[in-house]
Amino acid sequence: MSLLEERIKSVYANLTREEKKAADYCLKNDSSIYNNTVAELAEASGTTQATWSRFSKSLGYSGLKGLKREIFSDAKKAEKASPHIEFKDINQYTSMQAIADNICATSSQAIQTTYRLFDTQSFEGAVNAIVAARMIRIFGVGSSSLAAYDLFTKFQRLSYNVTYNEDFHNSLMNAAQLQSDDVAIFLCDSGRTEEIMQILKIANEKNSETIAITKLGNSPLAQGCNHVLFTTSPEIDKKSGVTSSRFAQLFLVDTLYTAVANKDFTNIRQHLQDSYDLFHEMGSY
């Protein structure tokens, strides 16, 4: 599956009716889109030129030119074989091996497809904001709270001024204390969770720098943050409680932490050494 196909399938449910026309046409005719003008695409798909522009932006591109560059790039790459993923309800597996195979495949694909979305410019902006911040406040609820807490502990190891609380009311209190030279980091797969959107509203009122780690798409969270780091993951039956999106988030958490530590290494190197020495000594008892 090409990266363009992955992007389309990841955001398809949230597209408008007209954008879905463009998406359907793109999925069937992606090899011919590169050489067509926007007017030709609008006529062929039964939409408008403005729809194609909105559709391209919903996929995370700056416009139709970005979408065409992706098609050209995909055409130049040899498609690597991906593990076959057969989506089943939780009670449809016939063996322990089948369960392990499926979870491994979906988790691996979540990381690989998120890696393919990696945007250097977005990451650099987020890293610079974090290093320069007076305080870092991290917010995440539900399944995203696991990755949020992981990022919190990693920044603690760097001796950064960082807060995180899974309790929503305490999170609101943290948000109320934001200042203009602080950074608020939001982890939310859907980009639409009500509690997160309430906190984002407060962060924007405080003029704080905002960073989102969220699923690819034109979600309210993605629209409302200064820097957006996109994830994507294969669909899994929601009744199972197994969410491959968690692995995509943790991949970005580890990448973000490493990039921040690299950027600020002169200031944090002793903190890393101190924490290493402490736990190394404890392990020798």
Side-chain angles (χ1 to χ4, degrees):
M1 184 186 295
S2 69
L3 180 56
L4 178 60
E5 289 176 301
E6 291 165 359
R7 284 179 180 261
I8 293 174
K9 291 182 178 181
S10 178
V11 305
Y12 191 86
N14 295 320
L15 297 176
T16 66
R17 184 175 62 180
E18 290 301 302
E19 287 173 343
K20 285 180 179 178
K21 290 182 181 179
D24 292 338
Y25 182 85
C26 194
L27 288 171
K28 295 177 181 177
N29 304 278
D30 64 342
S31 60
S32 65
I33 288 175
Y34 185 78
N35 295 315
N36 290 345
T37 66
V38 64
E40 291 170 338
L41 291 173
E43 182 178 0
S45 60
T47 59
T48 64
Q49 296 183 38
T51 295
W52 274 90
S53 177
R54 289 193 299 270
F55 168 61
S56 300
K57 291 178 179 178
S58 292
L59 295 180
Y61 303 114
S62 58
L64 184 59
K65 287 183 179 180
L67 187 154
K68 287 188 172 185
R69 280 196 297 270
E70 192 69 72
I71 293 173
F72 181 79
S73 177
D74 278 343
K76 291 293 184 181
K77 295 175 183 176
E79 189 68 29
K80 294 183 178 180
S82 298
H84 175 67
I85 301 175
E86 184 179 355
F87 298 107
K88 296 181 179 180
D89 205 343
I90 194 169
N91 63 338
Q92 293 179 324
Y93 291 104
T94 57
S95 70
M96 295 297 108
Q97 188 63 52
I99 294 173
D101 290 345
N102 192 260
I103 299 303
C104 179
T106 54
S107 300
S108 298
Q109 186 170 326
I111 294 172
Q112 291 168 1
T113 54
T114 297
Y115 166 72
R116 293 175 68 184
L117 291 175
F118 185 83
D119 184 280
T120 301
Q121 185 174 357
S122 296
F123 242 83
E124 286 183 348
V127 168
N128 291 336
I130 291 169
V131 171
R134 181 192 72 93
M135 175 170 280
I136 305 160
R137 297 193 183 271
I138 301 172
F139 304 97
V141 298
S143 61
S144 295
S145 65
L146 297 172
Y149 181 73
D150 188 47
L151 183 60
F152 166 67
T153 60
K154 282 178 164 60
F155 283 158
Q156 273 194 319
R157 191 181 179 202
L158 303 183
S159 198
Y160 279 4
N161 194 4
V162 58
T163 66
Y164 169 71
N165 198 299
E166 190 174 359
D167 180 80
F168 175 57
H169 292 97
N170 281 325
S171 293
L172 284 176
M173 181 175 64
N174 287 339
Q177 296 170 351
L178 281 165
Q179 298 182 21
S180 59
D181 52 352
D182 294 342
V183 166
I185 304 177
F186 299 90
L187 291 93
C188 177
D189 186 51
S190 69
R192 302 174 184 276
T193 303
E194 183 178 350
E195 293 90 341
I196 290 296
M197 297 313 300
Q198 290 181 40
I199 296 172
L200 174 63
K201 182 175 182 294
I202 297 171
N204 285 331
E205 289 172 350
K206 298 287 186 175
N207 294 316
S208 300
E209 197 84 356
T210 52
I211 300 170
I213 296 179
T214 187
K215 182 187 291 184
L216 175 68
N218 202 21
S219 67
L221 180 61
Q223 290 180 321
C225 286
N226 302 116
H227 312 280
V228 184
L229 311 179
F230 282 123
T231 67
T232 184
S233 57
E235 293 293 334
I236 296 181
D237 177 60
K238 298 302 181 183
K239 295 190 290 296
S240 71
V242 178
T243 53
S244 59
S245 60
R246 180 174 64 253
F247 291 94
Q249 288 178 335
L250 289 172
F251 163 70
L252 288 186
V253 162
D254 283 352
T255 307
L256 184 61
Y257 162 75
T258 304
V260 167
N262 176 269
K263 175 81 174 180
D264 200 24
F265 188 70
T266 301
N267 293 319
I268 59 88
R269 63 187 304 173
Q270 191 59 50
H271 300 305
L272 288 176
Q273 187 64 50
D274 289 344
S275 62
Y276 172 81
D277 290 342
L278 173 64
F279 290 109
H280 182 71
E281 290 175 9
M282 291 177 65
S284 62
Y285 288 149

